[in-house]
Amino acid sequence: MIDYMDINQEVKEALFEGKGVVALESTIVAHGMPYPENIETSKRVEQEIRKNQCVPATVGVIKGRIKVGLTEDEILYLGKAKDVVKVSRRDLPLVIANKLDGATTVAGTMIAANASGIKIFVTGGIGGVHRGAGETFDISQDLEELSMTDTVVVCAGVKSILDIGGTLEYLETKGVPVFSLGTKEFPAFYSRQSGFFLEDALKDEEEGAKIILAKEKLELKGGMVIACPIPEEEEIKKEIMDSYIEQALKECKVKGKEVTPFLLSRIKELTEGKSLKANIALVINNAKAGGRIAKAYEELKRKDAR
Ligand code: PSU
Ligand code: MN
């Protein structure tokens, strides 16, 4: 994979020096948020990572090259271009062979992060088991990727456009550790509450870092999910969100990888932009936590090596 990848100089140096590096995805830029909010959010997220003395590495594909650490211009390009492929595991061979532009999903970003030696990855929400998956078999590639690729995904949980209980069951079956920060309740992206509880809460970011290092030393394959509830003042309550989500799901006529972008943009219209505002706030909050985790993880590794 390394032959098809360009890791930017700053990221390379940070990895070499054992400075924290945090991967970021580009599907959220190209398909998850409208322009110009997508670009502004991506900048603010990168700044948030830097506040913890870590280096951000936004991942995407430009003309068939996997870029780890996109430049500002490259992010702008992916955020404005119309024919950007949404790239999960199965899309990588095609975009590389045909030298296309691609925005990487959680799954796609995990693959590139892992290949370049980045452990921690911050995003908004992960894909999951869709409602009605028993009939449609629509389960995000993100979950399978979490079972096999060693990247820690910091997110705000799973949107209730998905089957949250089903998603947690799936992750359990695949042996993926799942935690939420400061609470046992797994958050539902726009809302802090989901009604689904985990066995343990993470006390703080340092505990997260300790568990990540323990998993690594145990040589257990696969990723980890650390969910951060959206800040209280930014959340949209579950009761309010549920009705909008029901309506968007009813109107959804597309299939496959178009489902998630459709639902996100329809919910934005139905909530008159409130969902987008919440989405921006939660990604920035995740970046804050992710930066702290990455920093703590590097410190622990240094101590451990002594
Ligand atoms: N959730 C969001 N915004 C997003 C996505 C999820 O709130 O942009 C994107 C992520 O890149 C995720 C992908 O990996 O959607 C999942 O798509 P699918 O459900 O088609 O697997
Ligand atoms: Mn799907």
Side-chain angles (χ1 to χ4, degrees), residues 25 27-28 32 86 105-106 125 130 140 142 159 189 260 264:
E25 62 152 308
T27 292
I28 192 171
K86 178 175 161 188
T105 61
V106 169
H130 281 259
S140 175
D142 294 353
K159 267 177 293 334
F189 199 74
T260 299
L264 285 171

Side-chain angles (χ1 to χ4, degrees), residues 16-248:
F16 183 75
E17 291 163 9
K19 206 171 163 188
V21 179
V22 176
L24 300 162
E25 62 152 308
S26 45
T27 292
I28 192 171
V29 179
H31 308 279
M33 282 185 195
Y35 178 81
E37 285 90 344
N38 56 354
I39 303 298
E40 281 156 30
T41 306
S42 140
K43 278 189 196 152
R44 288 180 60 195
V45 165
E46 292 210 352
Q47 282 163 8
E48 207 55 59
I49 302 287
R50 289 189 189 281
K51 283 186 194 164
N52 279 296
Q53 294 82 49
C54 294
V55 174
T58 303
V59 174
V61 183
I62 308 260
K63 308 221 178 328
R65 297 288 302 173
I66 303 168
K67 302 279 179 183
V68 177
L70 289 166
T71 63
E72 234 183 276
D73 286 346
E74 287 169 336
I75 294 175
L76 187 64
Y77 172 71
L78 288 181
K80 281 178 124 174
K82 287 280 165 282
D83 47 359
V84 177
V85 183
K86 178 175 161 188
V87 180
S88 278
R89 171 175 284 267
R90 72 143 158 189
D91 312 286
L92 267 172
L94 178 93
V95 292
I96 300 305
N98 290 349
K99 302 199 170 13
L100 305 177
D101 295 325
T104 49
T105 61
V106 169
T109 307
M110 286 177 75
I111 294 171
N114 188 50
S116 48
I118 303 174
K119 194 80 192 180
I120 320 280
F121 161 30
V122 165
T123 184
I126 55 170
V129 175
H130 281 259
R131 296 197 199 176
E135 278 174 25
T136 63
F137 288 91
D138 190 352
I139 299 174
S140 175
Q141 172 65 55
D142 294 353
L143 300 187
E144 208 56 40
E145 206 59 57
L146 275 160
S147 77
M148 56 181 162
T149 300
D150 304 352
T151 310
V152 177
V153 183
V154 180
C155 62
V158 172
K159 267 177 293 334
S160 44
I161 56 173
L162 300 170
D163 176 347
I164 300 182
T167 302
L168 291 174
E169 288 292 349
Y170 196 95
L171 289 169
E172 182 183 346
T173 302
K174 295 289 179 174
V176 179
V178 179
F179 302 100
S180 336
L181 199 56
T183 169
K184 282 191 183 178
E185 187 160 11
F186 190 69
F189 199 74
Y190 302 115
S191 324
R192 294 170 67 83
Q193 258 94 46
S194 70
F196 293 94
F197 290 82
L198 305 167
E199 279 162 50
D200 302 286
L202 273 192
K203 203 161 72 264
D204 52 25
E205 284 87 347
E206 282 68 33
E207 189 186 3
K210 257 196 260 173
I211 297 172
I212 294 167
L213 190 61
K215 180 166 174 297
E216 198 175 309
K217 294 185 128 190
L218 288 164
E219 294 175 41
L220 292 172
K221 280 243 71 65
M224 190 185 292
V225 176
I226 298 184
C228 311
I230 180 171
E232 233 167 309
E233 57 286 7
E234 310 282 357
E235 83 164 324
I236 309 176
K237 289 280 183 210
K238 186 174 177 297
E239 308 80 74
I240 298 174
M241 220 48 226
D242 280 349
S243 65
Y244 294 128
I245 286 169
E246 289 298 335
Q247 188 175 339

Side-chain angles (χ1 to χ4, degrees), residues 229-297:
I230 180 171
E232 233 167 309
E233 57 286 7
E234 310 282 357
E235 83 164 324
I236 309 176
K237 289 280 183 210
K238 186 174 177 297
E239 308 80 74
I240 298 174
M241 220 48 226
D242 280 349
S243 65
Y244 294 128
I245 286 169
E246 289 298 335
Q247 188 175 339
L249 282 168
K250 234 183 271 160
E251 291 173 11
C252 183
K253 297 286 180 280
V254 294
K255 292 236 150 44
K257 65 195 212 182
E258 287 165 34
V259 172
T260 299
F262 169 83
L263 292 172
L264 285 171
S265 95
R266 188 66 189 120
I267 288 168
K268 183 202 157 213
E269 288 167 8
L270 292 170
T271 60
E272 293 165 353
K274 282 203 199 82
S275 67
L276 178 60
K277 210 174 142 263
N279 199 343
I280 294 170
L282 68 85
V283 187
I284 289 166
N285 183 57
N286 296 343
K288 202 172 284 175
R292 288 194 190 129
I293 293 169
K295 192 177 169 194
Y297 167 74

